[in-house]
Amino acid sequence: MAGLRSPLEGNQGSDSPTKRKRADTNPIPPNKRARLEASLNLSSTEDVKTLEAVESKYEARIHSIISSSKIQKKVVSVLQHITSSATNKTSVSILRAKAADTGKLVSIAEIAKRELEKRTDSGRIWFQYIALGEELKEIPRGEGNTVIEETKLGGADDDDFEVMKTPFQRAIEGQPRLRGVPIMSLFLSRVSIEELKKRYGEQTNADPT
């Protein structure tokens, strides 16, 4: 990507120490019981076990990708995290997006991987894992959502008959509907993560051994 700054230079001269942190980049608080499975909308037993292991062993940071996200800024943020040596733990960047924004997520990940591959040391190696989840979204239940069949007698006016609701229709009246919104989570690391590999498979540019 032409003109992409080094992750080490990405914020120099532009961010003051007091600048508010962007809401769409969320490090996992070390002293809080924030769970990756909740943030990534992964709830199966196997997913929970996998993500708990990742949380305990690695320095994970979630980068939420939304329609207004700037690709270059996200690339710099991802690279800054996975190349950081601030802690003894290996860093893992997790890109998360709803279905409508997965194209931008993939673009950010591909650019970040290409930037890593420009390096001449062992830091050019990347490992990638993809998990799919689902977020439940409430939709108001309004009139006209249910098809009701009407039986009319010959020659009768419409006003002479009242459409009766079934017991089920009366029970759910006013209750919100739930719709599943697909969520994509892409894990990017410079080392192989066995827990993620077993659960989601692995993609890498490392030479096969």
Side-chain angles (χ1 to χ4, degrees), residues 54 57-58 90-92 122 125-129 187-199 201-207 209:
V54 170
K57 296 180 181 179
Y58 303 94
T90 298
S91 297
V92 182
S122 60
I125 303 300
W126 52 260
F127 296 84
Q128 174 180 288
Y129 313 87
F187 300 74
L188 192 61
S189 173
R190 293 197 296 165
V191 300
S192 180
I193 300 177
E194 191 64 23
E195 294 86 356
L196 293 176
K197 181 179 180 179
K198 288 180 179 179
R199 179 61 180 160
E202 181 179 78
Q203 293 175 291
T204 180
N205 65 339
D207 294 330
T209 55

Side-chain angles (χ1 to χ4, degrees), residues 50-62:
T50 299
L51 297 178
E52 284 179 348
V54 170
E55 274 189 292
S56 65
K57 296 180 181 179
Y58 303 94
E59 188 70 21
R61 172 172 291 181
I62 298 175

Side-chain angles (χ1 to χ4, degrees), residues 84-126:
S84 172
S85 57
T87 69
N88 294 328
K89 291 183 176 182
T90 298
S91 297
V92 182
S93 281
I94 307 171
L95 287 72
R96 175 193 184 278
K98 295 181 180 180
D101 300 312
T102 53
K104 179 171 287 189
L105 179 153
V106 171
S107 295
I108 292 168
E110 290 300 316
I111 295 170
K113 290 186 292 185
R114 288 202 297 269
E115 290 298 313
L116 288 175
E117 290 171 354
K118 292 178 181 179
R119 302 178 60 148
T120 57
D121 57 10
S122 60
R124 66 178 298 276
I125 303 300
W126 52 260

Side-chain angles (χ1 to χ4, degrees), residues 22-38:
R22 288 178 59 88
D24 52 359
T25 300
N26 306 317
I28 301 299
N31 298 320
K32 295 184 180 180
R33 298 186 62 83
R35 294 300 183 187
L36 279 179
E37 66 267 19

